Amino acid sequence: MDKAIVTTSWDDGHPLDLKLAELLKKYNVPATFYIPVDNIERECMNPQQIREIAQSFDIGGHTYHHVNLTGISPKEAEREIVEGKKELEEIIGREVVSFCYPKGKFNGEVINVVEKAGFIGARTTKSATRSIKDPFKMGTTAYASYWHFGLAPY
């Protein structure tokens, strides 16, 4: 039997991610935390909290303000992606190489900007994927969210 690789990823940078990081560390579960520098939708970790998580886990880019990149101009999208990466790198003191599209929204233009910014790949919210065909359209095997479809939570 082939060896399985298990990893998790967590988006949006909420301060409660610190408690989650404690559990992941306790059970030796690898993770990437995709963190915007300033989440305009809800509370976000401050630089010290980001540095704390970065001591044990990978940090990925998630724009500067957690905005839908397909809903703003290409110039604004570029600024969100590039400035978010730059600021995270300054906070954690190392290169940020992976990206996650906020709300899973992306298009060809956004992919080009993410690649040009120096990321080596990007995660989407596409679920039930078992292989990586394009490193800038990486899906997930399972996807959990607060979203509800009909009466049952997914």
Side-chain angles (χ1 to χ4, degrees):
M1 178 187 237
D2 291 335
K3 236 179 161 180
I5 297 172
V6 176
T7 186
T8 62
S9 62
W10 307 90
D11 303 354
D12 303 346
H14 194 280
L16 286 176
D17 285 354
L18 292 165
K19 291 195 178 288
L20 172 63
E22 286 177 27
L23 288 170
L24 293 170
K25 190 172 179 180
K26 177 180 177 179
Y27 294 104
N28 200 29
V29 177
T32 300
F33 287 84
Y34 292 100
I35 304 173
V37 176
D38 177 32
N39 190 331
I40 59 173
E41 299 172 329
R42 65 184 68 88
E43 188 178 0
C44 192
M45 284 187 272
N46 64 42
Q48 179 54 41
Q49 292 168 321
I50 295 170
R51 280 190 287 276
E52 188 176 327
I53 284 186
Q55 290 175 9
S56 301
F57 298 98
D58 186 36
I59 302 298
H62 204 40
T63 71
Y64 200 99
H65 294 104
H66 194 258
V67 296
N68 173 356
L69 294 169
T70 62
I72 58 178
S73 75
K75 194 73 173 162
E76 288 173 291
E78 181 178 12
R79 188 171 35 253
E80 283 287 331
I81 293 164
V82 171
E83 292 302 316
K85 182 181 194 309
K86 180 181 171 192
E87 185 69 19
L88 278 178
E89 290 174 342
E90 288 178 16
I91 290 169
I92 67 173
R94 65 177 189 262
E95 188 177 11
V96 173
V97 298
S98 60
F99 186 80
C100 178
Y101 306 105
K103 303 176 193 321
K105 305 288 185 185
F106 66 95
N107 57 30
E109 207 166 53
V110 169
I111 291 171
N112 288 337
V113 172
V114 169
E115 191 170 1
K116 185 179 166 190
F119 291 101
I120 62 170
R123 189 179 62 72
T124 70
T125 55
K126 183 179 178 189
S127 61
T129 59
R130 296 180 55 137
S131 64
I132 299 171
K133 292 181 173 93
D134 182 336
F136 290 92
K137 295 180 184 177
M138 288 186 288
T140 62
T141 304
Y143 179 75
S145 175
Y146 295 113
W147 300 339
H148 290 267
F149 297 99
L151 298 175
Y154 175 66

